[in-house]
Amino acid sequence: EKQRAAIARALVLNPPVLLLDEPTSNIDADSVELVEQVLTERAAAGATVIMTTHNHHSAYRLADVIVPLGAGRVQPLSVNIVRGQMEDPGDGHIGRFRVTTGQEILCPAISGTYTTAVIRMDDIILSREEITTSAQNHLPGTVTTVTETRDQLFRIELDCGFPLRVVITARSVSEFGVTPGTRLWASFKASAVRVY
C-alpha cells in the first residue's frame, strides 16, 4: 500500500517525468499488474518513465530502453527484446509469437497474454545459408551494423523485418566476411525464447 500510495502521490501532479526506484519490489502479483498498467498508461500519455528494478519481467514488459548496470558500470545488453503478441497455442507444444512487424517466432506453448519475447544474443547461430537443425526458428536477415565489443567479440545487428542482435567472434566475422549488407540466416531454438 505504501508503494501504491507513493506512486499515486506522484501521479496526482501529472509530472512530465516519473523517476521510480524499484516500484514493483515486495508487492503481490495483482499490485505488480496494477503498477505496470499505470506506468504503461502514463508513458502512452507522453510522460517519460525512468525506473530502477531487479524485476526483469517488469523491465522486459515495460521498457523501451534497458540499461543494465553491474559493479557500478553500464553493461552491454545481452538479450533481444521483441514486441508482439502471443498467439493461442492450441494443444501443441510449440507456441507462436507474432512480432508487431508480422514475422513469427516459434516458442514454448504458453497460454496467456504475453507481449514481449526475449532471446539471448548468445543463443542465436548465424549461417550463410539456411541450415537444417533442431532449431525451430530460421530467419533471413541483412546485416545493418557490425560493432566490436570486447575480447575479440562483435555485436552484429540483422534486419529480419525487426532488429535482431547476435554476438559472434572476430574469427566468425572474418570467415563469413560480415559487413553491412551481408545476407545471413539467424537460427535459434524455440526453447531459447522467453515470453513476458
Side-chain angles (χ1 to χ4, degrees), residues 85-97 107-114 195:
Q85 190 68 43
M86 186 73 174
E87 296 182 352
D88 183 356
D91 294 330
H93 298 290
I94 297 294
R96 287 172 164 56
F97 185 86
C107 60
I110 302 173
S111 294
T113 303
Y114 299 95
V195 291

PDB file of all heavy atoms in Angstrom, residues 85-97 107-114 195:
ATOM      1  N   GLN A  85       2.730 -10.245 -29.944  1.00  0.00           N
ATOM      2  CA  GLN A  85       1.605 -10.851 -29.234  1.00  0.00           C
ATOM      3  C   GLN A  85       1.692 -12.362 -29.338  1.00  0.00           C
ATOM      4  O   GLN A  85       1.900 -12.904 -30.416  1.00  0.00           O
ATOM      5  CB  GLN A  85       0.282 -10.378 -29.857  1.00  0.00           C
ATOM      6  CG  GLN A  85      -0.939 -10.747 -29.077  1.00  0.00           C
ATOM      7  CD  GLN A  85      -1.034 -10.003 -27.739  1.00  0.00           C
ATOM      8  OE1 GLN A  85      -0.772  -8.807 -27.671  1.00  0.00           O
ATOM      9  NE2 GLN A  85      -1.361 -10.712 -26.696  1.00  0.00           N
ATOM     10  N   MET A  86       1.533 -13.026 -28.210  1.00  0.00           N
ATOM     11  CA  MET A  86       1.485 -14.491 -28.189  1.00  0.00           C
ATOM     12  C   MET A  86       0.163 -14.939 -28.783  1.00  0.00           C
ATOM     13  O   MET A  86      -0.892 -14.421 -28.418  1.00  0.00           O
ATOM     14  CB  MET A  86       1.618 -14.971 -26.739  1.00  0.00           C
ATOM     15  CG  MET A  86       1.716 -16.450 -26.596  1.00  0.00           C
ATOM     16  SD  MET A  86       3.328 -17.026 -27.133  1.00  0.00           S
ATOM     17  CE  MET A  86       3.202 -18.736 -26.673  1.00  0.00           C
ATOM     18  N   GLU A  87       0.223 -15.884 -29.708  1.00  0.00           N
ATOM     19  CA  GLU A  87      -1.000 -16.424 -30.280  1.00  0.00           C
ATOM     20  C   GLU A  87      -1.451 -17.627 -29.471  1.00  0.00           C
ATOM     21  O   GLU A  87      -0.663 -18.241 -28.762  1.00  0.00           O
ATOM     22  CB  GLU A  87      -0.761 -16.801 -31.747  1.00  0.00           C
ATOM     23  CG  GLU A  87      -0.438 -15.588 -32.605  1.00  0.00           C
ATOM     24  CD  GLU A  87      -0.244 -15.930 -34.073  1.00  0.00           C
ATOM     25  OE1 GLU A  87      -0.200 -17.131 -34.428  1.00  0.00           O
ATOM     26  OE2 GLU A  87      -0.128 -14.989 -34.872  1.00  0.00           O
ATOM     27  N   ASP A  88      -2.710 -17.961 -29.577  1.00  0.00           N
ATOM     28  CA  ASP A  88      -3.262 -19.104 -28.846  1.00  0.00           C
ATOM     29  C   ASP A  88      -2.506 -20.360 -29.243  1.00  0.00           C
ATOM     30  O   ASP A  88      -2.482 -20.731 -30.418  1.00  0.00           O
ATOM     31  CB  ASP A  88      -4.747 -19.246 -29.159  1.00  0.00           C
ATOM     32  CG  ASP A  88      -5.413 -20.370 -28.373  1.00  0.00           C
ATOM     33  OD1 ASP A  88      -4.710 -21.087 -27.638  1.00  0.00           O
ATOM     34  OD2 ASP A  88      -6.637 -20.521 -28.498  1.00  0.00           O
ATOM     35  N   PRO A  89      -1.862 -21.046 -28.284  1.00  0.00           N
ATOM     36  CA  PRO A  89      -1.046 -22.204 -28.628  1.00  0.00           C
ATOM     37  C   PRO A  89      -1.853 -23.450 -28.980  1.00  0.00           C
ATOM     38  O   PRO A  89      -1.309 -24.422 -29.481  1.00  0.00           O
ATOM     39  CB  PRO A  89      -0.221 -22.448 -27.366  1.00  0.00           C
ATOM     40  CG  PRO A  89      -1.054 -21.902 -26.263  1.00  0.00           C
ATOM     41  CD  PRO A  89      -1.803 -20.744 -26.860  1.00  0.00           C
ATOM     42  N   GLY A  90      -3.161 -23.435 -28.739  1.00  0.00           N
ATOM     43  CA  GLY A  90      -3.947 -24.643 -29.003  1.00  0.00           C
ATOM     44  C   GLY A  90      -3.460 -25.772 -28.121  1.00  0.00           C
ATOM     45  O   GLY A  90      -3.139 -25.572 -26.960  1.00  0.00           O
ATOM     46  N   ASP A  91      -3.370 -26.976 -28.679  1.00  0.00           N
ATOM     47  CA  ASP A  91      -2.928 -28.135 -27.909  1.00  0.00           C
ATOM     48  C   ASP A  91      -1.473 -28.506 -28.182  1.00  0.00           C
ATOM     49  O   ASP A  91      -0.986 -29.508 -27.676  1.00  0.00           O
ATOM     50  CB  ASP A  91      -3.818 -29.348 -28.233  1.00  0.00           C
ATOM     51  CG  ASP A  91      -5.242 -29.132 -27.753  1.00  0.00           C
ATOM     52  OD1 ASP A  91      -5.409 -28.408 -26.754  1.00  0.00           O
ATOM     53  OD2 ASP A  91      -6.171 -29.668 -28.377  1.00  0.00           O
ATOM     54  N   GLY A  92      -0.782 -27.717 -29.001  1.00  0.00           N
ATOM     55  CA  GLY A  92       0.578 -28.080 -29.391  1.00  0.00           C
ATOM     56  C   GLY A  92       1.598 -27.777 -28.317  1.00  0.00           C
ATOM     57  O   GLY A  92       1.311 -27.156 -27.291  1.00  0.00           O
ATOM     58  N   HIS A  93       2.824 -28.230 -28.569  1.00  0.00           N
ATOM     59  CA  HIS A  93       3.934 -27.968 -27.662  1.00  0.00           C
ATOM     60  C   HIS A  93       4.722 -26.742 -28.102  1.00  0.00           C
ATOM     61  O   HIS A  93       5.529 -26.222 -27.352  1.00  0.00           O
ATOM     62  CB  HIS A  93       4.878 -29.177 -27.595  1.00  0.00           C
ATOM     63  CG  HIS A  93       4.211 -30.399 -27.060  1.00  0.00           C
ATOM     64  ND1 HIS A  93       3.835 -30.518 -25.747  1.00  0.00           N
ATOM     65  CD2 HIS A  93       3.820 -31.541 -27.670  1.00  0.00           C
ATOM     66  CE1 HIS A  93       3.261 -31.693 -25.562  1.00  0.00           C
ATOM     67  NE2 HIS A  93       3.239 -32.331 -26.717  1.00  0.00           N
ATOM     68  N   ILE A  94       4.490 -26.312 -29.335  1.00  0.00           N
ATOM     69  CA  ILE A  94       5.183 -25.145 -29.872  1.00  0.00           C
ATOM     70  C   ILE A  94       4.183 -24.000 -29.986  1.00  0.00           C
ATOM     71  O   ILE A  94       3.113 -24.146 -30.554  1.00  0.00           O
ATOM     72  CB  ILE A  94       5.789 -25.446 -31.266  1.00  0.00           C
ATOM     73  CG1 ILE A  94       6.841 -26.544 -31.170  1.00  0.00           C
ATOM     74  CG2 ILE A  94       6.386 -24.185 -31.886  1.00  0.00           C
ATOM     75  CD1 ILE A  94       8.079 -26.172 -30.383  1.00  0.00           C
ATOM     76  N   GLY A  95       4.563 -22.850 -29.409  1.00  0.00           N
ATOM     77  CA  GLY A  95       3.729 -21.665 -29.493  1.00  0.00           C
ATOM     78  C   GLY A  95       4.206 -20.755 -30.604  1.00  0.00           C
ATOM     79  O   GLY A  95       5.289 -20.933 -31.162  1.00  0.00           O
ATOM     80  N   ARG A  96       3.384 -19.763 -30.901  1.00  0.00           N
ATOM     81  CA  ARG A  96       3.718 -18.805 -31.940  1.00  0.00           C
ATOM     82  C   ARG A  96       3.604 -17.400 -31.367  1.00  0.00           C
ATOM     83  O   ARG A  96       2.564 -17.026 -30.823  1.00  0.00           O
ATOM     84  CB  ARG A  96       2.773 -18.963 -33.124  1.00  0.00           C
ATOM     85  CG  ARG A  96       3.049 -20.197 -33.926  1.00  0.00           C
ATOM     86  CD  ARG A  96       1.987 -20.455 -34.996  1.00  0.00           C
ATOM     87  NE  ARG A  96       2.398 -21.402 -36.004  1.00  0.00           N
ATOM     88  CZ  ARG A  96       2.819 -22.636 -35.810  1.00  0.00           C
ATOM     89  NH1 ARG A  96       2.923 -23.087 -34.603  1.00  0.00           N
ATOM     90  NH2 ARG A  96       3.143 -23.427 -36.800  1.00  0.00           N
ATOM     91  N   PHE A  97       4.691 -16.658 -31.511  1.00  0.00           N
ATOM     92  CA  PHE A  97       4.717 -15.259 -31.083  1.00  0.00           C
ATOM     93  C   PHE A  97       4.747 -14.423 -32.344  1.00  0.00           C
ATOM     94  O   PHE A  97       5.673 -14.536 -33.154  1.00  0.00           O
ATOM     95  CB  PHE A  97       5.950 -14.990 -30.215  1.00  0.00           C
ATOM     96  CG  PHE A  97       5.991 -13.605 -29.643  1.00  0.00           C
ATOM     97  CD1 PHE A  97       5.351 -13.320 -28.446  1.00  0.00           C
ATOM     98  CD2 PHE A  97       6.667 -12.596 -30.298  1.00  0.00           C
ATOM     99  CE1 PHE A  97       5.388 -12.039 -27.911  1.00  0.00           C
ATOM    100  CE2 PHE A  97       6.706 -11.311 -29.776  1.00  0.00           C
ATOM    101  CZ  PHE A  97       6.063 -11.035 -28.587  1.00  0.00           C
ATOM    102  N   CYS A 107       8.070 -20.567 -30.148  1.00  0.00           N
ATOM    103  CA  CYS A 107       8.483 -20.535 -28.748  1.00  0.00           C
ATOM    104  C   CYS A 107       7.733 -21.630 -27.994  1.00  0.00           C
ATOM    105  O   CYS A 107       6.870 -22.296 -28.573  1.00  0.00           O
ATOM    106  CB  CYS A 107       8.188 -19.162 -28.156  1.00  0.00           C
ATOM    107  SG  CYS A 107       6.444 -18.702 -28.217  1.00  0.00           S
ATOM    108  N   PRO A 108       8.022 -21.839 -26.719  1.00  0.00           N
ATOM    109  CA  PRO A 108       7.236 -22.810 -25.955  1.00  0.00           C
ATOM    110  C   PRO A 108       5.765 -22.387 -25.920  1.00  0.00           C
ATOM    111  O   PRO A 108       5.447 -21.200 -25.859  1.00  0.00           O
ATOM    112  CB  PRO A 108       7.859 -22.748 -24.556  1.00  0.00           C
ATOM    113  CG  PRO A 108       9.251 -22.261 -24.783  1.00  0.00           C
ATOM    114  CD  PRO A 108       9.141 -21.300 -25.935  1.00  0.00           C
ATOM    115  N   ALA A 109       4.869 -23.356 -25.974  1.00  0.00           N
ATOM    116  CA  ALA A 109       3.433 -23.076 -25.952  1.00  0.00           C
ATOM    117  C   ALA A 109       3.012 -22.698 -24.535  1.00  0.00           C
ATOM    118  O   ALA A 109       3.135 -23.494 -23.609  1.00  0.00           O
ATOM    119  CB  ALA A 109       2.653 -24.290 -26.435  1.00  0.00           C
ATOM    120  N   ILE A 110       2.551 -21.472 -24.383  1.00  0.00           N
ATOM    121  CA  ILE A 110       2.093 -20.974 -23.088  1.00  0.00           C
ATOM    122  C   ILE A 110       0.810 -20.190 -23.330  1.00  0.00           C
ATOM    123  O   ILE A 110       0.754 -19.356 -24.233  1.00  0.00           O
ATOM    124  CB  ILE A 110       3.145 -20.036 -22.444  1.00  0.00           C
ATOM    125  CG1 ILE A 110       4.479 -20.754 -22.269  1.00  0.00           C
ATOM    126  CG2 ILE A 110       2.653 -19.497 -21.120  1.00  0.00           C
ATOM    127  CD1 ILE A 110       5.608 -19.857 -21.809  1.00  0.00           C
ATOM    128  N   SER A 111      -0.205 -20.462 -22.544  1.00  0.00           N
ATOM    129  CA  SER A 111      -1.449 -19.698 -22.653  1.00  0.00           C
ATOM    130  C   SER A 111      -1.340 -18.435 -21.817  1.00  0.00           C
ATOM    131  O   SER A 111      -0.738 -18.435 -20.750  1.00  0.00           O
ATOM    132  CB  SER A 111      -2.633 -20.535 -22.176  1.00  0.00           C
ATOM    133  OG  SER A 111      -2.830 -21.623 -23.041  1.00  0.00           O
ATOM    134  N   GLY A 112      -1.912 -17.359 -22.311  1.00  0.00           N
ATOM    135  CA  GLY A 112      -1.925 -16.110 -21.564  1.00  0.00           C
ATOM    136  C   GLY A 112      -1.629 -14.933 -22.469  1.00  0.00           C
ATOM    137  O   GLY A 112      -1.402 -15.088 -23.669  1.00  0.00           O
ATOM    138  N   THR A 113      -1.658 -13.759 -21.873  1.00  0.00           N
ATOM    139  CA  THR A 113      -1.391 -12.534 -22.616  1.00  0.00           C
ATOM    140  C   THR A 113       0.077 -12.166 -22.447  1.00  0.00           C
ATOM    141  O   THR A 113       0.489 -11.738 -21.368  1.00  0.00           O
ATOM    142  CB  THR A 113      -2.286 -11.389 -22.089  1.00  0.00           C
ATOM    143  OG1 THR A 113      -3.643 -11.794 -22.184  1.00  0.00           O
ATOM    144  CG2 THR A 113      -2.078 -10.123 -22.897  1.00  0.00           C
ATOM    145  N   TYR A 114       0.839 -12.355 -23.489  1.00  0.00           N
ATOM    146  CA  TYR A 114       2.262 -12.036 -23.467  1.00  0.00           C
ATOM    147  C   TYR A 114       2.554 -11.108 -24.636  1.00  0.00           C
ATOM    148  O   TYR A 114       2.117 -11.355 -25.761  1.00  0.00           O
ATOM    149  CB  TYR A 114       3.110 -13.301 -23.573  1.00  0.00           C
ATOM    150  CG  TYR A 114       2.880 -14.252 -22.421  1.00  0.00           C
ATOM    151  CD1 TYR A 114       1.976 -15.307 -22.524  1.00  0.00           C
ATOM    152  CD2 TYR A 114       3.555 -14.086 -21.218  1.00  0.00           C
ATOM    153  CE1 TYR A 114       1.753 -16.165 -21.468  1.00  0.00           C
ATOM    154  CE2 TYR A 114       3.338 -14.943 -20.155  1.00  0.00           C
ATOM    155  CZ  TYR A 114       2.431 -15.983 -20.281  1.00  0.00           C
ATOM    156  OH  TYR A 114       2.215 -16.824 -19.234  1.00  0.00           O
ATOM    157  N   VAL A 195       8.839 -15.620 -23.048  1.00  0.00           N
ATOM    158  CA  VAL A 195       7.804 -14.611 -23.281  1.00  0.00           C
ATOM    159  C   VAL A 195       7.359 -13.999 -21.960  1.00  0.00           C
ATOM    160  O   VAL A 195       7.320 -14.673 -20.929  1.00  0.00           O
ATOM    161  CB  VAL A 195       6.600 -15.186 -24.060  1.00  0.00           C
ATOM    162  CG1 VAL A 195       6.993 -15.514 -25.484  1.00  0.00           C
ATOM    163  CG2 VAL A 195       6.002 -16.389 -23.374  1.00  0.00           C
TER     164      VAL A 195
END
